[in-house]
Amino acid sequence: MYNIVICDSDNICLRETGFLVEKFLNAYGPEYTVYECDSFIRLKELLMDNVFGLLIFDSKIINNNISATGFISDLNERRFGPDIIIMSEDENRWSDGFELGALEYLIKPYEPEMLRQAVLYSAKRHMHLDFDTMIRDIDGRHYYINGRDIIY
């Protein structure tokens, strides 16, 4: 299972990003769950209960004097390990994304194609970690399976 969390204080952008991520992954095929939250408190609750392959953050979210970049830095220090996409309205802060090891730094309003490329890149990386084999049925649909799930 590939879990994604999107954290943005702008509810319209949060819903739009969630819609686009689900649209991109529906076409790709892995099992996934997209979680949406608008605060770090909710994000911390989600992190306690789930393992995420991708975190998508708005850089302006602030909670208890912790910025999104400060929070991501803390995750990296703990070797949490998910891919990170940072969204921002400030194009001059792209170096924050570079320093934090972000997969992508998107300037709002972002191009959906840039988000699509980053989300699918992350999904493909995690699919290889979780599954050994891809099979295709006669209709051309792809299924990803773990070799341990095959019973002889």
Side-chain angles (χ1 to χ4, degrees):
M1 178 66 77
Y2 180 64
N3 293 325
I4 300 168
V5 63
I6 304 166
C7 195
D8 195 328
S9 58
D10 179 351
N11 285 329
I12 294 171
C13 187
L14 178 65
R15 280 187 246 117
E16 169 108 3
T17 303
F19 171 79
L20 288 171
V21 167
E22 289 188 16
K23 177 181 168 185
F24 302 148
L25 290 176
N26 276 336
Y28 181 66
E31 284 189 39
Y32 66 90
T33 304
V34 177
Y35 297 86
E36 296 176 357
C37 65
D38 59 0
S39 71
F40 280 128
I41 292 171
R42 178 68 182 130
L43 177 61
K44 288 179 182 181
E45 292 171 1
L46 290 171
L47 288 172
M48 296 297 288
D49 297 331
N50 302 282
V51 175
F52 289 98
L54 178 61
L55 305 178
I56 303 174
F57 284 97
D58 174 15
S59 66
K60 289 186 355 181
I61 291 182
I62 296 176
N63 192 343
N64 298 330
N65 296 323
I66 299 174
S67 68
T69 53
F71 185 74
I72 293 169
S73 179
D74 185 49
L75 288 177
N76 286 339
E77 287 176 12
R78 296 177 192 204
R79 302 196 191 290
F80 184 75
D83 293 329
I84 298 167
I85 297 173
I86 300 174
M87 299 182 296
S88 176
E89 293 173 358
D90 186 358
E91 64 186 44
N92 297 322
R93 304 273 321 250
W94 63 268
S95 61
D96 289 345
F98 179 74
E99 290 172 10
L100 294 169
L103 187 63
E104 185 67 69
Y105 187 89
L106 299 174
I107 306 301
K108 291 181 176 180
Y110 58 83
E111 290 292 325
E113 179 60 21
M114 296 297 291
L115 178 65
R116 185 186 76 78
Q117 289 175 4
V119 167
L120 292 183
Y121 177 78
S122 176
K124 288 176 186 176
R125 287 188 46 204
H126 287 271
M127 290 300 295
H128 292 292
L129 296 175
D130 294 339
F131 301 99
D132 301 310
T133 306
M134 185 214 36
I135 58 174
R136 186 174 33 212
D137 66 12
I138 58 172
D139 295 325
R141 290 183 299 243
H142 294 127
Y143 299 92
Y144 298 90
I145 61 171
N146 187 311
R148 294 182 302 249
D149 296 332
I150 299 173
I151 299 173
Y152 294 96

